[in-house]
Amino acid sequence: MNEVIVGIDLGTTNSEVAVVREGRVEVIPVSGFDRILPSVVGIADDGALLVGQAARNQYVLHPDRTVRSVKRRMGEAARVAMGDKDYAPQEISAMILHRLKTLAEAHLGHAVTKAVITVPAFFSDAQRQATREAGEIAGLEVARILNEPTAAALAYESRHQGARKALVYDLGGGTFDVSVVNLEADVVEVLASHGNNHLGGDDFDQKIVEFVLDHLEQTYGVDASQTPTAMARLRRAAEAAKIELSDAPYATLAEEFLLEHEGAPLHLVLEISRENYEAMIEPYIEETLNTIHTALSSAGLGASDIQEILLVGGATRTPLVARRIEQALGMQPRGEVNPDLCVAMGAAIQGALIADAGAGARTVLIDITPYTFGTSALGEFEGEEYTHCFVPLIRKNTPIPVSKSDVFYTVFDGQKIVDVSVFQGEDRDALNNIQIGHFMVEGLRGAPAGNPVVLQFSLDINGILQVTAREKQSGLEQSITIENVIARFDREKIDAARDRVQALFGEPVDPARPARIGGSAQPADPSSAAAGDARRLRVEARALVEKAERMLANASAENAEDLVDAMEALKDALPGQDDALLKTGMDQLADLLYYLEA
Ligand code: AMP
């Protein structure tokens, strides 16, 4: 049997792990039939590490010891506070990866030591490197860092073969990006990628909430936005209505006792038509269409060059999305692969292709760099001599791996040192770009000015940038792997971080661990993992009830009523075995508390 390489979609809000077994892609359940793990990490009252739904539930209670959306921080040098400690973003991500690894081991019944992990196509070198380090800290050898659109294309490609160009349209809860990819039998090449980090299905929910607030204002003269409990319920109802409108022409928002008005309870019953809803979200969809055109022109292509459009992300289930894309590009998009799981599935397919490579299967992956990398040098800038002119070596959208070099000349007679700065960006003034590395070459020959020094930039498939400077005449050489990239960890730090993460999971730290990462994991016992999850869930549920009891004293009469209802519902569910019911109760109470605290 070949080794197993799992595929992991490490998302901002949710993460998934998948594997190919006997030629089929399986997305591994994280709890019951649920295959989606919330990307949330926290420390419980007793110091235990919580990952996933349990951490998400405690966020309202303990935001100070819960971390969400850490993906947005990857590659930053910043520390993320959680409880009385702080962590690098890649350590927090490692906790999510470690949980996924353990779940995969429990499901498969053997150790999992290798993974393909996906990242957005626009992730920088530092963000990719941090993701790789997160994998290593979690005890996973990262077989490849894969672009999300490439993974999605692989998931679709697995069903239909043939050379073509495709658009991958990925609209999630809070992010949007579109990529142009070239698909061949065994090649996926990302030609261009563009997006908006703050556009997604959550904005659609907000439009429905605003619609309801207007209705309440006009009909009753009530401003419900001032009542946190009402807002919590409205948000939940808005998302449910939105999802219903994907399949039905009308949805009704019905919330009994939404709030008190002139001494009487106000019941909300409001129908919303799909037509009306679509008019609300149309500007967002238009924005995504504009982004498609930007991506196409970056790739030097027109709409007629595209043979296929692939839909990814939960919000693409909104029918208007496919309709507007079809009107704009004259082609019906494909949406047959589960849009929430598509990226993890593609990562698993890539993992299987790598694992099988030794057995003769061929796969070639071509990705592109979404950023330009270069250095600074003396030159002319706006008619004046300027020492920080940006000189790009590897340009944005170049297929990787790539190696480019250029020659530079010393400025002074007898110059013994050159100072090399590495930048990422597009601005002609290097100082307006991001400096990601810096090093000196010392001991040059001291030749007259004009001594040539060759600079080489090599960017590999995982987005790791090596920069080498060589004095042409003497061969004297100095190189770095972007030492100054923010948040870069060295080997010792990775080992130490892994020990800390493993200790948080209650695993023994192996003092005799070999220097290589991975290979030491034992299969987890699935029954004890499930029992642990159920226990944790109940501990969390009780903590939520306790917090609600504390807040009850200061709540208004109306809020108190809602609180008591939600607490009672949760207390009723506590002794039972129905985890789904318990989770629903926890979500409802957590939402109320969230808005009461706001
Ligand atoms: P993702 O980040 O890909 O998991 O997408 C999450 C977003 O998809 C959230 O805003 C969900 O409300 C939204 N979503 C999930 N299912 C549907 C559906 N059937 N129709 C419209 N939006 C949906």
Side-chain angles (χ1 to χ4, degrees), residues 13-14 16 36 170-175 200-205 239 242-247 277 312-319 339-341:
T13 323
N14 295 311
E16 298 87 27
I36 293 176
D170 185 348
L171 187 63
T175 58
D202 299 348
D203 296 305
F204 300 178
D205 302 346
E239 187 182 12
K242 171 188 77 173
I243 289 174
E244 198 176 334
L245 286 168
S246 287
D247 296 319
Y277 164 65
V312 183
T316 60
R317 290 199 178 99
T318 308
D340 303 302
L341 307 179

Side-chain angles (χ1 to χ4, degrees), residues 22-23 47 76 85 103 126 153 168 178 240 248 314 350 414 466:
E22 287 157 19
E76 289 179 15
K85 296 204 178 65
L103 287 162
V168 180
V178 61
Q350 182 60 53
Q466 294 264 356

Side-chain angles (χ1 to χ4, degrees), residues 319-447:
L320 182 65
V321 169
R323 222 171 53 238
R324 293 291 291 114
I325 293 175
E326 188 174 353
Q327 282 165 359
L329 303 181
M331 188 189 323
Q332 200 179 3
R334 288 174 63 186
E336 71 265 27
V337 180
N338 185 325
D340 303 302
L341 307 179
C342 186
V343 169
M345 290 164 78
I349 292 167
Q350 182 60 53
L353 289 170
I354 297 170
D356 282 350
R362 283 269 163 274
T363 178
V364 187
L365 258 151
I366 303 175
D367 277 325
I368 51 146
T369 161
Y371 290 105
T372 298
F373 294 97
T375 190
S376 61
L378 181 69
E380 204 178 281
F381 190 66
E382 291 169 358
E384 307 242 319
E385 197 170 76
Y386 182 56
T387 45
H388 302 291
C389 290
F390 183 52
V391 184
L393 271 94
I394 296 179
R395 288 188 182 272
K396 184 174 168 167
N397 291 339
T398 307
I400 49 177
V402 61
S403 192
K404 300 262 184 194
S405 51
D406 208 341
V407 63
F408 297 81
Y409 300 94
T410 53
V411 181
F412 311 111
D413 287 342
Q415 187 172 333
K416 290 266 177 71
I417 294 177
V418 287
D419 198 330
V420 181
S421 291
V422 183
F423 292 92
Q424 174 190 297
E426 305 296 328
D427 203 290
R428 286 177 53 225
D429 180 351
L431 299 183
N432 288 336
N433 294 326
I434 303 166
Q435 183 171 350
I436 57 167
H438 168 255
F439 68 106
M440 315 267 269
V441 189
E442 290 172 305
L444 299 178
R445 292 182 307 138

